[in-house]
Amino acid sequence: MTNFGKNFEPLLTREAPKTVDRMGLFWLLAAAIATIVLWQVPGGNYILYPFTILATWFHEMGHGLMALLLGGQFQQLQIFSNGSGVAFHSVPLYLGSIGRALVAAAGPMGPPIAGAGLILASRSFKAAHLSLTILGGFLLISTLIWVRSPFGIVAIPLLGLIILGVALKAPRWMQGFGIQFLGVQACVSTYHQLDYLFSASAGPGLLSDTAQIQQQLLLPYWFWGGLMAIASLVILVQSLRLAYRSK
């Protein structure tokens, strides 16, 4: 009886996580598909509105943080109630076209890269808890340092407090699922802005990010839009594959 118990227990610990992982992956993929559908349905934008604002924050922070990484400046970001945003930044002149193109690309690629990091963090409850805490805290810190629009000053810290609340108060399974769900939402948000990726304009007198890349690297904006759309899908699939790969 004692030997049977010792042999049986490892079998349970090996098999149970696989069942849970497959169920979790199914529901996450279903959530991703539902999200894409909701973007197209009247009223769906209201349901997904908080994720739209978070994706915009990832986008604009991508511009600003890339400028900082390249040795430039990140002066401020503004986020508006319609889900749009703008980051004010500068890049050292010696980096030339490459530097400006990298900063322009970092915006659209910000949400899928951040989403992949969140999905990968779900491989352990400890990492999920830590990542939710860091994300919530960084939302609050970014408000103090960079956010300057009235709407953003209210919305961004509110999102930060909600995410921190999940990290500190929610059960472990909810934290794990929550960070995966946020990650998938960030990744698929790229497809909510497909029209933007394949547009040369971001508004009256403004170039889109892909048009700015075209201006610096010559190839047409639709080429860069298609490349980033494909890259976003690959990042989502690979992050899910790594997150659910057997340890």
Side-chain angles (χ1 to χ4, degrees):
M1 180 65 73
T2 302
N3 289 336
F4 176 79
K6 288 182 178 179
N7 293 330
F8 187 66
E9 184 176 354
L11 181 61
L12 284 177
T13 57
R14 286 197 303 270
E15 295 300 327
K18 293 182 181 179
T19 303
V20 173
D21 284 350
R22 281 196 288 267
M23 289 174 62
L25 179 58
F26 171 80
W27 288 111
L28 279 172
L29 290 177
I33 295 170
T35 298
I36 295 172
V37 171
L38 280 171
W39 288 133
Q40 314 305 322
V41 174
N45 287 345
Y46 295 105
I47 299 173
L48 297 169
Y49 184 70
F51 303 109
T52 299
I53 299 303
L54 186 61
T56 299
W57 181 81
F58 282 134
H59 181 117
E60 302 306 336
M61 289 297 294
H63 287 310
L65 293 179
M66 177 59 75
L68 287 177
L69 286 173
L70 294 176
Q73 294 183 337
F74 181 14
Q75 289 92 3
Q76 63 171 280
L77 71 84
Q78 298 183 5
I79 294 178
F80 308 105
S81 59
N82 64 358
S84 65
V86 59
F88 295 87
H89 51 76
S90 62
V91 182
L93 293 177
Y94 65 82
L95 292 175
S97 297
I98 297 297
R100 290 189 289 272
L102 284 173
V103 172
M109 295 309 299
I113 290 173
L118 295 175
I119 291 170
L120 291 174
S122 68
R123 282 179 61 84
S124 75
F125 285 115
K126 182 178 180 180
H129 170 78
L130 180 61
S131 298
L132 284 172
T133 304
I134 291 173
L135 176 59
F138 196 38
L139 283 160
L140 297 177
I141 292 171
S142 72
T143 304
L144 295 174
I145 300 176
W146 295 298
V147 178
R148 293 296 177 267
S149 60
F151 174 80
I153 289 173
V154 174
I156 298 305
L158 182 59
L159 285 173
L161 290 172
I162 291 172
I163 292 172
L164 278 176
V166 172
L168 299 176
K169 299 295 184 181
R172 294 202 311 166
W173 69 266
M174 187 178 293
Q175 293 182 41
F177 182 81
I179 199 165
Q180 289 176 325
F181 187 75
L182 286 175
V184 170
Q185 299 305 307
C187 288
V188 301
S189 69
T190 298
Y191 296 92
H192 181 223
Q193 59 173 358
L194 270 182
D195 56 340
Y196 175 71
L197 289 180
F198 290 96
S199 172
S201 173
L206 298 174
L207 293 177
S208 67
D209 291 323
T210 50
Q212 291 180 49
I213 299 174
Q214 171 185 312
Q215 191 177 61
Q216 304 303 322
L217 301 182
L218 302 180
L219 290 172
Y221 65 87
W222 52 261
F223 170 83
W224 299 110
L227 187 63
M228 287 190 280
I230 293 170
S232 298
L233 180 60
V234 171
I235 288 171
L236 171 60
V237 171
Q238 289 300 313
S239 61
L240 286 170
R241 184 181 68 83
L242 290 173
Y244 284 93
R245 185 175 60 184
S246 297
K247 296 182 181 179

